[in-house]
Amino acid sequence: MEKKPLERHEEIERSIRKKFRKNIWCKFTKAINQYELVKKGDKIAVCISGGKDSMLMAKLFQELKLHNKFDFEIQFLVMDPGYSPENRARIEENSALLHVPVKIFESDIFDAVYTIEKSPCYLCARMRRGHLYHFAQGLGCNKIALGHHYDDVIETILMGMLYGAQMQTMMPKLHSTNFAGMELIRPMYLIREDDIRAWAKYNGLHFLQCACRFTEKCADCNEETSSKRLEVKELIRQMKQTNPFVEGNIFKSVENVNLDTVIAYKKDGVKHFFLEGYEER
């Protein structure tokens, strides 16, 4: 009996299980297990911006749901902060193509930050996260999932050092300080951006690059919208030419912090200096 040809979304799902199993699927499940991101009884709002990262995350959660060993729920959320009609349509078309049943809700965040001259992107990100927490909580969710990946993590570490004079990282999960009982998780934490791009290219998928009102004209291009992040990306690329392990070393540096050799550090908002108890030791 002749096999029925796979539908488009089934081919895309198959690519996750087969061709990209090692670099995408296994790293997704490793992060979930290693950092304990999904637990029994969770109701997770998978937040979709329309870009490649969050769209892949949605498909990975669907796959996880097929193989889950315990009960948990997922809701796919799209917040429209004021997208152009073209960008809104692109998100809806991709969601339908991928068979991701999204819930879309509107906000006026783009209008609110459009006239802000200092750090509009930072304010926009903060406001978007607050809206996502609020809407997800209203749906009975206890977690929101964001699509930050491995490259975001190592770039954030270097950006903090070079531009913020601090040593910190983007955590795989954290409790919300403003929404009681809510938690943020990053299940794409161990997945490389190049592998996400390869998955999208292999399947002929085209996602939003940046749909912000400040950069709408390049929403379909490959330009980075953050000059500092672009500088750090280029710095890492240059260092990798002479040290192929540099990316992994940056990532591991925040797992191997030796407090005995740190001049000062913060814990729960309190700064501690190495001279505390120095003579006693």
Side-chain angles (χ1 to χ4, degrees):
M1 186 175 179
E2 189 175 338
K3 279 188 177 182
K4 180 182 177 182
L6 295 177
E7 292 188 22
R8 185 83 168 86
H9 74 281
E10 292 174 324
E11 293 176 347
I12 294 168
E13 291 160 1
R14 179 181 171 84
S15 74
I16 293 172
R17 293 191 297 269
K18 299 295 184 179
K19 183 173 178 61
F20 296 96
R21 180 178 183 83
K22 180 181 177 181
N23 291 339
I24 291 180
W25 172 247
C26 289
K27 290 184 178 180
F28 177 76
T29 56
K30 180 180 178 180
I32 285 175
N33 292 324
Q34 182 171 316
Y35 303 120
E36 300 180 355
L37 303 182
V38 179
K39 296 183 178 180
K40 184 177 181 179
D42 279 345
K43 187 172 183 179
I44 303 168
V46 180
C47 301
I48 299 171
S49 66
K52 65 186 187 314
D53 310 326
S54 59
M55 281 293 192
L56 173 58
M57 179 175 65
K59 295 307 297 179
L60 289 168
F61 265 107
Q62 286 183 324
E63 190 69 22
L64 184 68
K65 189 70 177 149
L66 293 175
H67 304 285
N68 66 301
K69 299 176 182 178
F70 50 79
D71 289 332
F72 70 94
E73 296 181 51
I74 47 177
Q75 293 276 352
F76 299 103
L77 294 191
V78 174
M79 181 185 63
D80 182 346
Y83 291 138
S84 67
E86 295 78 12
N87 287 333
R88 170 72 175 254
R90 172 72 67 85
I91 294 173
E92 292 173 338
E93 289 164 5
N94 280 330
S95 298
L97 171 66
L98 295 171
H99 281 218
V100 176
V102 297
K103 291 181 182 292
I104 302 179
F105 69 100
E106 282 82 19
S107 72
D108 59 355
I109 291 176
F110 281 177
D111 287 335
V113 302
Y114 190 65
T115 58
I116 303 296
E117 293 185 4
K118 187 176 181 180
S119 302
C121 296
Y122 173 78
L123 178 61
C124 181
R126 295 268 302 188
M127 292 179 68
R128 289 171 77 154
R129 186 174 300 180
H131 278 68
L132 287 168
Y133 269 129
H134 178 74
F135 195 80
Q137 195 171 49
L139 292 174
C141 297
N142 65 310
K143 294 179 179 179
I144 64 171
L146 302 184
H148 297 116
H149 48 65
Y150 186 97
D151 296 70
D152 290 324
V153 176
I154 62 175
E155 289 161 14
T156 298
I157 294 169
L158 278 190
M159 287 175 70
M161 294 173 63
L162 301 178
Y163 299 108
Q166 57 188 345
M167 186 66 184
Q168 63 180 24
T169 189
M170 179 182 284
M171 297 296 286
K173 66 178 180 180
L174 52 89
H175 292 290
S176 171
T177 55
N178 298 316
F179 295 85
M182 294 292 291
E183 196 173 359
L184 180 154
I185 62 173
R186 295 183 169 105
M188 308 276 283
Y189 203 78
L190 301 177
I191 300 176
R192 298 304 310 267
E193 186 175 22
D194 281 346
D195 292 320
I196 300 173
R197 288 197 186 100
W199 169 79
K201 183 178 180 180
Y202 176 82
N203 288 291
L205 298 169
H206 303 282
F207 301 111
L208 298 184
Q209 297 295 329
C210 177
C212 171
R213 185 171 298 175
F214 298 101
T215 55
E216 276 183 342
K217 291 182 180 179
C218 69
D220 292 313
C221 67
N222 290 320
E223 296 179 21
E224 292 293 332
T225 58
S226 169
S227 60
K228 288 184 175 62
R229 189 166 291 274
L230 179 59
E231 288 174 14
V232 168
K233 279 181 179 290
E234 178 60 21
L235 176 61
I236 294 173
R237 188 193 67 78
Q238 291 178 7
M239 290 191 294
K240 191 177 178 181
Q241 292 177 0
T242 55
N243 179 6
F245 306 107
V246 68
E247 293 155 312
N249 289 344
I250 295 170
F251 187 91
K252 292 175 184 175
S253 70
V254 292
E255 294 181 341
N256 298 317
V257 178
N258 186 347
L259 291 183
D260 292 331
T261 63
V262 171
I263 293 175
Y265 67 93
K266 284 184 179 180
K267 175 66 176 174
D268 299 326
V270 178
K271 189 170 184 177
H272 300 274
F273 197 54
F274 85 101
L275 289 177
E276 295 175 13
Y278 176 79
E279 295 300 334
E280 290 78 357
R281 292 196 298 271

